[in-house]
Amino acid sequence: RDLVRLHRRAVQRAVDDLTEANALIQAHSTSLEQAAALHERLTGIVLHGGGLEDLAQNLTDVLGGSVLVLDSHSRTMAAAGDDPVIERARTTGELPERSATTRTIRKASVLCTESRRTSRISRTNDGVAACATPIMAGAEVLGVLVLLQQRLDPCDTRSLERAAVVIALMLLTDRTVAETEHRLRGEILEALLGAPHRDLDGVRRRAGLMGLDLARPHVVLAARCRGGTHRRAIADAAARYAAHAS
């Protein structure tokens, strides 16, 4: 009888362990499916010309809470959600200084940037938990994606990491487009100052692709920098001047 009783207990423990393991597997599978579905949804937004604000809003629709996208200098690029601090960041581009939520966001951002891994801050006195994941391109940190929630679970973390990959691709695409535009503008200017008569129609065609109408009056601004350290700053300043002048 004792052997039968021990056998039954052993069988019951095995059944309980298998039931628990199956529940964990099911939860993990569901989490992966939700993250994959969100990734597909966000990718579709990007392919249809959506921006960072669209991605942030969709993240809040799926995960709840509030979402903040920061660049590598901790400046707000996009924000969505009902949290007052996030709303402030969305409207002004800045986080309020004297705020427990701001301190939580900055702590999570610093941790994930330094570790190059997702960091979680448990629920603080203000009732907010934060999950921050770096937006990476190779070894370069392009920014940080932050989720504020009353309660965070592993599915939120996986979804946030998938979203960070999509945002990284969007930022890299924007960078490539900007660098290409800078290069093409430089080539057009070089052709105009060099020998435009050699291929005037070609210069006009390339200028038209950049949105430039060479039939209109233009102003040429020339600047020289000592060394290459300030070259990009001068180019950016010239681009802002040209945008304002147009």
Side-chain angles (χ1 to χ4, degrees), residues 96-135:
E97 291 296 331
R98 298 180 180 180
S99 167
T101 301
T102 297
R103 289 192 293 271
T104 299
I105 292 172
R106 288 178 175 167
K107 181 179 180 181
S109 299
V110 170
L111 287 174
C112 84
T113 300
E114 292 179 348
S115 66
R116 302 295 202 271
R117 299 176 61 183
T118 300
S119 298
R120 295 160 63 102
I121 303 296
S122 302
R123 191 169 177 176
T124 56
N125 294 333
D126 59 353
V128 175
C131 181
T133 191
I135 303 170

Side-chain angles (χ1 to χ4, degrees), residues 13 23 26 47 60 64 91 95 142 157 184 187 189 223 234 240:
R13 282 198 299 268
Q26 290 290 340
L47 292 176
T60 59
T91 55
L95 293 168
L142 302 177
T157 301
L184 290 177
E187 291 177 356
L189 183 59
I234 291 177
R240 290 194 297 271

